[in-house]
mmCIF file with all atom_site columns, all heavy atoms in Angstrom:
data_model
loop_
_atom_site.group_PDB
_atom_site.id
_atom_site.type_symbol
_atom_site.label_atom_id
_atom_site.label_alt_id
_atom_site.label_comp_id
_atom_site.label_asym_id
_atom_site.label_entity_id
_atom_site.label_seq_id
_atom_site.pdbx_PDB_ins_code
_atom_site.Cartn_x
_atom_site.Cartn_y
_atom_site.Cartn_z
_atom_site.occupancy
_atom_site.B_iso_or_equiv
_atom_site.pdbx_formal_charge
_atom_site.auth_seq_id
_atom_site.auth_comp_id
_atom_site.auth_asym_id
_atom_site.auth_atom_id
_atom_site.pdbx_PDB_model_num
ATOM 1   N N   . THR A 1 217 ? -7.038 -26.404 -15.466 1.00 65.00 ? 225 THR A N   1
ATOM 2   C CA  . THR A 1 217 ? -5.571 -26.495 -15.505 1.00 65.00 ? 225 THR A CA  1
ATOM 3   C C   . THR A 1 217 ? -5.087 -26.512 -16.943 1.00 65.00 ? 225 THR A C   1
ATOM 4   O O   . THR A 1 217 ? -4.143 -25.800 -17.300 1.00 65.00 ? 225 THR A O   1
ATOM 5   C CB  . THR A 1 217 ? -5.099 -27.795 -14.805 1.00 65.00 ? 225 THR A CB  1
ATOM 6   O OG1 . THR A 1 217 ? -5.751 -27.888 -13.570 1.00 65.00 ? 225 THR A OG1 1
ATOM 7   C CG2 . THR A 1 217 ? -3.596 -27.805 -14.599 1.00 65.00 ? 225 THR A CG2 1
ATOM 8   N N   . ARG A 1 218 ? -5.771 -27.310 -17.787 1.00 64.00 ? 226 ARG A N   1
ATOM 9   C CA  . ARG A 1 218 ? -5.321 -27.412 -19.183 1.00 64.00 ? 226 ARG A CA  1
ATOM 10  C C   . ARG A 1 218 ? -5.451 -26.060 -19.886 1.00 64.00 ? 226 ARG A C   1
ATOM 11  O O   . ARG A 1 218 ? -4.566 -25.631 -20.620 1.00 64.00 ? 226 ARG A O   1
ATOM 12  C CB  . ARG A 1 218 ? -6.096 -28.507 -19.929 1.00 64.00 ? 226 ARG A CB  1
ATOM 13  C CG  . ARG A 1 218 ? -5.571 -29.911 -19.594 1.00 64.00 ? 226 ARG A CG  1
ATOM 14  C CD  . ARG A 1 218 ? -6.193 -30.961 -20.490 1.00 64.00 ? 226 ARG A CD  1
ATOM 15  N NE  . ARG A 1 218 ? -7.629 -31.129 -20.261 1.00 64.00 ? 226 ARG A NE  1
ATOM 16  C CZ  . ARG A 1 218 ? -8.147 -31.856 -19.272 1.00 64.00 ? 226 ARG A CZ  1
ATOM 17  N NH1 . ARG A 1 218 ? -7.363 -32.492 -18.420 1.00 64.00 ? 226 ARG A NH1 1
ATOM 18  N NH2 . ARG A 1 218 ? -9.456 -31.960 -19.123 1.00 64.00 ? 226 ARG A NH2 1
ATOM 19  N N   . ALA A 1 219 ? -6.556 -25.343 -19.609 1.00 65.00 ? 227 ALA A N   1
ATOM 20  C CA  . ALA A 1 219 ? -6.801 -24.059 -20.279 1.00 65.00 ? 227 ALA A CA  1
ATOM 21  C C   . ALA A 1 219 ? -5.778 -22.999 -19.852 1.00 65.00 ? 227 ALA A C   1
ATOM 22  O O   . ALA A 1 219 ? -5.416 -22.129 -20.648 1.00 65.00 ? 227 ALA A O   1
ATOM 23  C CB  . ALA A 1 219 ? -8.211 -23.580 -19.963 1.00 65.00 ? 227 ALA A CB  1
ATOM 24  N N   . LEU A 1 220 ? -5.328 -23.076 -18.587 1.00 66.00 ? 228 LEU A N   1
ATOM 25  C CA  . LEU A 1 220 ? -4.437 -22.024 -18.063 1.00 66.00 ? 228 LEU A CA  1
ATOM 26  C C   . LEU A 1 220 ? -2.965 -22.422 -18.094 1.00 66.00 ? 228 LEU A C   1
ATOM 27  O O   . LEU A 1 220 ? -2.117 -21.746 -17.529 1.00 66.00 ? 228 LEU A O   1
ATOM 28  C CB  . LEU A 1 220 ? -4.836 -21.683 -16.621 1.00 66.00 ? 228 LEU A CB  1
ATOM 29  C CG  . LEU A 1 220 ? -6.225 -21.075 -16.444 1.00 66.00 ? 228 LEU A CG  1
ATOM 30  C CD1 . LEU A 1 220 ? -6.518 -20.835 -14.974 1.00 66.00 ? 228 LEU A CD1 1
ATOM 31  C CD2 . LEU A 1 220 ? -6.353 -19.763 -17.224 1.00 66.00 ? 228 LEU A CD2 1
ATOM 32  N N   . ARG A 1 221 ? -2.694 -23.518 -18.782 1.00 70.00 ? 229 ARG A N   1
ATOM 33  C CA  . ARG A 1 221 ? -1.351 -24.098 -18.733 1.00 70.00 ? 229 ARG A CA  1
ATOM 34  C C   . ARG A 1 221 ? -0.251 -23.101 -19.136 1.00 70.00 ? 229 ARG A C   1
ATOM 35  O O   . ARG A 1 221 ? 0.850  -23.162 -18.623 1.00 70.00 ? 229 ARG A O   1
ATOM 36  C CB  . ARG A 1 221 ? -1.311 -25.336 -19.642 1.00 70.00 ? 229 ARG A CB  1
ATOM 37  C CG  . ARG A 1 221 ? -0.197 -26.270 -19.334 1.00 70.00 ? 229 ARG A CG  1
ATOM 38  C CD  . ARG A 1 221 ? -0.488 -27.656 -19.830 1.00 70.00 ? 229 ARG A CD  1
ATOM 39  N NE  . ARG A 1 221 ? -1.052 -28.460 -18.772 1.00 70.00 ? 229 ARG A NE  1
ATOM 40  C CZ  . ARG A 1 221 ? -0.972 -29.776 -18.699 1.00 70.00 ? 229 ARG A CZ  1
ATOM 41  N NH1 . ARG A 1 221 ? -0.375 -30.440 -19.640 1.00 70.00 ? 229 ARG A NH1 1
ATOM 42  N NH2 . ARG A 1 221 ? -1.499 -30.436 -17.706 1.00 70.00 ? 229 ARG A NH2 1
ATOM 43  N N   . PHE A 1 222 ? -0.593 -22.169 -20.029 1.00 71.00 ? 230 PHE A N   1
ATOM 44  C CA  . PHE A 1 222 ? 0.425  -21.216 -20.503 1.00 71.00 ? 230 PHE A CA  1
ATOM 45  C C   . PHE A 1 222 ? 0.947  -20.327 -19.360 1.00 71.00 ? 230 PHE A C   1
ATOM 46  O O   . PHE A 1 222 ? 2.010  -19.727 -19.463 1.00 71.00 ? 230 PHE A O   1
ATOM 47  C CB  . PHE A 1 222 ? -0.138 -20.361 -21.652 1.00 71.00 ? 230 PHE A CB  1
ATOM 48  C CG  . PHE A 1 222 ? -1.238 -19.445 -21.217 1.00 71.00 ? 230 PHE A CG  1
ATOM 49  C CD1 . PHE A 1 222 ? -0.965 -18.102 -20.913 1.00 71.00 ? 230 PHE A CD1 1
ATOM 50  C CD2 . PHE A 1 222 ? -2.544 -19.895 -21.077 1.00 71.00 ? 230 PHE A CD2 1
ATOM 51  C CE1 . PHE A 1 222 ? -1.975 -17.249 -20.503 1.00 71.00 ? 230 PHE A CE1 1
ATOM 52  C CE2 . PHE A 1 222 ? -3.555 -19.046 -20.652 1.00 71.00 ? 230 PHE A CE2 1
ATOM 53  C CZ  . PHE A 1 222 ? -3.276 -17.711 -20.369 1.00 71.00 ? 230 PHE A CZ  1
ATOM 54  N N   . LEU A 1 223 ? 0.168  -20.232 -18.260 1.00 76.00 ? 231 LEU A N   1
ATOM 55  C CA  . LEU A 1 223 ? 0.595  -19.406 -17.120 1.00 76.00 ? 231 LEU A CA  1
ATOM 56  C C   . LEU A 1 223 ? 1.598  -20.121 -16.219 1.00 76.00 ? 231 LEU A C   1
ATOM 57  O O   . LEU A 1 223 ? 2.244  -19.506 -15.379 1.00 76.00 ? 231 LEU A O   1
ATOM 58  C CB  . LEU A 1 223 ? -0.612 -19.048 -16.254 1.00 76.00 ? 231 LEU A CB  1
ATOM 59  C CG  . LEU A 1 223 ? -1.631 -18.065 -16.814 1.00 76.00 ? 231 LEU A CG  1
ATOM 60  C CD1 . LEU A 1 223 ? -2.834 -17.986 -15.883 1.00 76.00 ? 231 LEU A CD1 1
ATOM 61  C CD2 . LEU A 1 223 ? -0.991 -16.683 -16.955 1.00 76.00 ? 231 LEU A CD2 1
ATOM 62  N N   . PHE A 1 224 ? 1.672  -21.460 -16.352 1.00 81.00 ? 232 PHE A N   1
ATOM 63  C CA  . PHE A 1 224 ? 2.429  -22.255 -15.382 1.00 81.00 ? 232 PHE A CA  1
ATOM 64  C C   . PHE A 1 224 ? 3.725  -22.772 -15.975 1.00 81.00 ? 232 PHE A C   1
ATOM 65  O O   . PHE A 1 224 ? 3.926  -22.782 -17.188 1.00 81.00 ? 232 PHE A O   1
ATOM 66  C CB  . PHE A 1 224 ? 1.657  -23.515 -14.954 1.00 81.00 ? 232 PHE A CB  1
ATOM 67  C CG  . PHE A 1 224 ? 0.238  -23.322 -14.570 1.00 81.00 ? 232 PHE A CG  1
ATOM 68  C CD1 . PHE A 1 224 ? -0.670 -24.352 -14.743 1.00 81.00 ? 232 PHE A CD1 1
ATOM 69  C CD2 . PHE A 1 224 ? -0.202 -22.137 -14.015 1.00 81.00 ? 232 PHE A CD2 1
ATOM 70  C CE1 . PHE A 1 224 ? -1.983 -24.202 -14.381 1.00 81.00 ? 232 PHE A CE1 1
ATOM 71  C CE2 . PHE A 1 224 ? -1.517 -21.981 -13.645 1.00 81.00 ? 232 PHE A CE2 1
ATOM 72  C CZ  . PHE A 1 224 ? -2.413 -23.018 -13.832 1.00 81.00 ? 232 PHE A CZ  1
ATOM 73  N N   . ASN A 1 225 ? 4.527  -23.321 -15.072 1.00 85.00 ? 233 ASN A N   1
ATOM 74  C CA  . ASN A 1 225 ? 5.624  -24.193 -15.471 1.00 85.00 ? 233 ASN A CA  1
ATOM 75  C C   . ASN A 1 225 ? 5.063  -25.551 -15.855 1.00 85.00 ? 233 ASN A C   1
ATOM 76  O O   . ASN A 1 225 ? 4.081  -26.009 -15.244 1.00 85.00 ? 233 ASN A O   1
ATOM 77  C CB  . ASN A 1 225 ? 6.566  -24.423 -14.276 1.00 85.00 ? 233 ASN A CB  1
ATOM 78  C CG  . ASN A 1 225 ? 7.704  -23.422 -14.227 1.00 85.00 ? 233 ASN A CG  1
ATOM 79  O OD1 . ASN A 1 225 ? 8.152  -22.921 -15.256 1.00 85.00 ? 233 ASN A OD1 1
ATOM 80  N ND2 . ASN A 1 225 ? 8.195  -23.162 -13.025 1.00 85.00 ? 233 ASN A ND2 1
ATOM 81  N N   . ASP A 1 226 ? 5.701  -26.220 -16.806 1.00 88.00 ? 234 ASP A N   1
ATOM 82  C CA  . ASP A 1 226 ? 5.424  -27.657 -16.919 1.00 88.00 ? 234 ASP A CA  1
ATOM 83  C C   . ASP A 1 226 ? 6.226  -28.325 -15.792 1.00 88.00 ? 234 ASP A C   1
ATOM 84  O O   . ASP A 1 226 ? 7.018  -27.671 -15.096 1.00 88.00 ? 234 ASP A O   1
ATOM 85  C CB  . ASP A 1 226 ? 5.792  -28.203 -18.311 1.00 88.00 ? 234 ASP A CB  1
ATOM 86  C CG  . ASP A 1 226 ? 7.225  -27.877 -18.701 1.00 88.00 ? 234 ASP A CG  1
ATOM 87  O OD1 . ASP A 1 226 ? 8.059  -27.685 -17.791 1.00 88.00 ? 234 ASP A OD1 1
ATOM 88  O OD2 . ASP A 1 226 ? 7.509  -27.799 -19.908 1.00 88.00 ? 234 ASP A OD2 1
ATOM 89  N N   . ALA A 1 227 ? 6.002  -29.621 -15.586 1.00 91.00 ? 235 ALA A N   1
ATOM 90  C CA  . ALA A 1 227 ? 6.663  -30.295 -14.454 1.00 91.00 ? 235 ALA A CA  1
ATOM 91  C C   . ALA A 1 227 ? 8.183  -30.275 -14.618 1.00 91.00 ? 235 ALA A C   1
ATOM 92  O O   . ALA A 1 227 ? 8.914  -30.186 -13.624 1.00 91.00 ? 235 ALA A O   1
ATOM 93  C CB  . ALA A 1 227 ? 6.142  -31.723 -14.327 1.00 91.00 ? 235 ALA A CB  1
ATOM 94  N N   . GLU A 1 228 ? 8.654  -30.331 -15.864 1.00 93.00 ? 236 GLU A N   1
ATOM 95  C CA  . GLU A 1 228 ? 10.116 -30.316 -16.094 1.00 93.00 ? 236 GLU A CA  1
ATOM 96  C C   . GLU A 1 228 ? 10.714 -29.002 -15.568 1.00 93.00 ? 236 GLU A C   1
ATOM 97  O O   . GLU A 1 228 ? 11.737 -29.010 -14.895 1.00 93.00 ? 236 GLU A O   1
ATOM 98  C CB  . GLU A 1 228 ? 10.449 -30.446 -17.594 1.00 93.00 ? 236 GLU A CB  1
ATOM 99  C CG  . GLU A 1 228 ? 9.931  -31.716 -18.254 1.00 93.00 ? 236 GLU A CG  1
ATOM 100 C CD  . GLU A 1 228 ? 10.794 -32.954 -17.978 1.00 93.00 ? 236 GLU A CD  1
ATOM 101 O OE1 . GLU A 1 228 ? 11.985 -32.788 -17.678 1.00 93.00 ? 236 GLU A OE1 1
ATOM 102 O OE2 . GLU A 1 228 ? 10.245 -34.071 -18.048 1.00 93.00 ? 236 GLU A OE2 1
ATOM 103 N N   . HIS A 1 229 ? 10.083 -27.867 -15.890 1.00 94.00 ? 237 HIS A N   1
ATOM 104 C CA  . HIS A 1 229 ? 10.576 -26.587 -15.367 1.00 94.00 ? 237 HIS A CA  1
ATOM 105 C C   . HIS A 1 229 ? 10.327 -26.475 -13.853 1.00 94.00 ? 237 HIS A C   1
ATOM 106 O O   . HIS A 1 229 ? 11.119 -25.873 -13.134 1.00 94.00 ? 237 HIS A O   1
ATOM 107 C CB  . HIS A 1 229 ? 9.927  -25.413 -16.097 1.00 94.00 ? 237 HIS A CB  1
ATOM 108 C CG  . HIS A 1 229 ? 10.541 -25.145 -17.442 1.00 94.00 ? 237 HIS A CG  1
ATOM 109 N ND1 . HIS A 1 229 ? 10.194 -25.862 -18.566 1.00 94.00 ? 237 HIS A ND1 1
ATOM 110 C CD2 . HIS A 1 229 ? 11.492 -24.279 -17.834 1.00 94.00 ? 237 HIS A CD2 1
ATOM 111 C CE1 . HIS A 1 229 ? 10.914 -25.433 -19.590 1.00 94.00 ? 237 HIS A CE1 1
ATOM 112 N NE2 . HIS A 1 229 ? 11.706 -24.467 -19.178 1.00 94.00 ? 237 HIS A NE2 1
ATOM 113 N N   . GLY A 1 230 ? 9.212  -27.043 -13.402 1.00 95.00 ? 238 GLY A N   1
ATOM 114 C CA  . GLY A 1 230 ? 8.896  -27.006 -11.967 1.00 95.00 ? 238 GLY A CA  1
ATOM 115 C C   . GLY A 1 230 ? 9.979  -27.669 -11.123 1.00 95.00 ? 238 GLY A C   1
ATOM 116 O O   . GLY A 1 230 ? 10.185 -27.309 -9.963  1.00 95.00 ? 238 GLY A O   1
ATOM 117 N N   . ALA A 1 231 ? 10.669 -28.653 -11.706 1.00 97.00 ? 239 ALA A N   1
ATOM 118 C CA  . ALA A 1 231 ? 11.713 -29.380 -10.958 1.00 97.00 ? 239 ALA A CA  1
ATOM 119 C C   . ALA A 1 231 ? 13.033 -28.599 -10.908 1.00 97.00 ? 239 ALA A C   1
ATOM 120 O O   . ALA A 1 231 ? 13.912 -28.928 -10.102 1.00 97.00 ? 239 ALA A O   1
ATOM 121 C CB  . ALA A 1 231 ? 11.943 -30.751 -11.589 1.00 97.00 ? 239 ALA A CB  1
ATOM 122 N N   . LEU A 1 232 ? 13.174 -27.573 -11.744 1.00 98.00 ? 240 LEU A N   1
ATOM 123 C CA  . LEU A 1 232 ? 14.488 -26.892 -11.827 1.00 98.00 ? 240 LEU A CA  1
ATOM 124 C C   . LEU A 1 232 ? 14.938 -26.257 -10.497 1.00 98.00 ? 240 LEU A C   1
ATOM 125 O O   . LEU A 1 232 ? 16.108 -26.406 -10.126 1.00 98.00 ? 240 LEU A O   1
ATOM 126 C CB  . LEU A 1 232 ? 14.480 -25.834 -12.933 1.00 98.00 ? 240 LEU A CB  1
ATOM 127 C CG  . LEU A 1 232 ? 14.454 -26.378 -14.377 1.00 98.00 ? 240 LEU A CG  1
ATOM 128 C CD1 . LEU A 1 232 ? 14.390 -25.222 -15.380 1.00 98.00 ? 240 LEU A CD1 1
ATOM 129 C CD2 . LEU A 1 232 ? 15.654 -27.259 -14.669 1.00 98.00 ? 240 LEU A CD2 1
ATOM 130 N N   . PRO A 1 233 ? 14.053 -25.544 -9.764  1.00 98.00 ? 241 PRO A N   1
ATOM 131 C CA  . PRO A 1 233 ? 14.532 -24.970 -8.492  1.00 98.00 ? 241 PRO A CA  1
ATOM 132 C C   . PRO A 1 233 ? 15.035 -26.041 -7.519  1.00 98.00 ? 241 PRO A C   1
ATOM 133 O O   . PRO A 1 233 ? 16.041 -25.838 -6.828  1.00 98.00 ? 241 PRO A O   1
ATOM 134 C CB  . PRO A 1 233 ? 13.288 -24.251 -7.945  1.00 98.00 ? 241 PRO A CB  1
ATOM 135 C CG  . PRO A 1 233 ? 12.513 -23.883 -9.182  1.00 98.00 ? 241 PRO A CG  1
ATOM 136 C CD  . PRO A 1 233 ? 12.691 -25.060 -10.103 1.00 98.00 ? 241 PRO A CD  1
#
Side-chain angles (χ1 to χ4, degrees):
T225 311
R226 281 189 293 279
L228 296 178
R229 200 158 265 206
F230 67 97
L231 290 173
F232 312 151
N233 268 330
D234 54 25
E236 301 281 336
H237 281 82
L240 289 178

